[in-house]
Amino acid sequence: MHETLYRPGFDVSIPLPAKRHFSNLRHLGPFQRKYLMTFRGLRYLENDGTLRSSSDFRGMHNGADIVVVTSCRHVGNGRVRKENATIDEECKRDEAIHKSYKFDDLMNSTFGLAPAGRQPSSYRFAEILSAGGVPVLVVDNYVKPFETLIQWHRCALQFPSSEMHRIVKTIRAMKPAEVKRRQRYCLHVYERWFSSDEALLQASIASQKTRFMGAFPSWEPPLID
């Protein structure tokens, strides 16, 4: 849901549901994981989603504890690649690196990047939560889901596209106790509101109920524990 279109007190922003859930990783603490931060996904060469093609975004990759790999293999990129040989060669190099990493392996990460693509929301958001990771949103003009229920500042980090250069420095500077608190709350959010289609439905209903508070005897308070 875009901030510029969102009607507070009327609309409810809901997430894209996870395409896959990574329950096998949720037991791992934030400092028991293979990577510090990861992303593996498509990049876009024009129109919406081009932040994934920026040097600030792709430049976070160090091939060690931070892995950020992209592929240009999207149908909308064909014309640009055909018309620009330099970009085409760059895409070929990126795709070779992209193929060398497996998506499942990269989910074993303390932080997970969830950059905007063709729209502000991303399937990666819910998938990172399912794996017990801390989401790092890179997005402009985005209303996070179920904001009347969830205190997102206790879980996710969010950066506008103009401040991607701050991400690595910020996560490396975070104290272990804060990372553990964020992971614990993120897991609480996932298990209660994101873990299944039924949980998403209940979150949508609860978001509506928060507008009426005492009008519903069974009203559930926001998730603040």
Side-chain angles (χ1 to χ4, degrees), residues 122-186:
S122 168
Y123 291 105
R124 200 75 72 249
F125 193 177
E127 291 167 350
I128 293 164
L129 291 173
S130 80
V134 175
V136 179
L137 308 180
V138 186
V139 62
D140 304 309
N141 193 23
Y142 179 48
V143 179
K144 291 184 284 296
F146 309 133
E147 287 200 309
T148 58
L149 299 177
I150 300 167
Q151 297 178 341
W152 283 114
H153 67 279
R154 297 176 60 189
C155 168
L157 300 171
Q158 182 170 342
F159 296 83
S161 58
S162 60
E163 297 185 12
M164 286 187 283
H165 61 280
R166 295 179 46 237
I167 294 175
V168 173
K169 185 181 296 184
T170 298
I171 65 171
R172 290 199 187 280
M174 290 179 68
K175 295 181 179 180
E178 180 183 354
V179 180
K180 289 178 181 178
R181 282 195 300 270
R182 285 182 180 274
Q183 187 204 34
R184 185 165 58 246
Y185 188 75
C186 285

Side-chain angles (χ1 to χ4, degrees), residues 13 50 54 84 87 105 144 205:
S13 178
T50 54
S54 74
N84 191 315
I87 290 178
D105 186 52
K144 291 184 284 296
I205 294 170

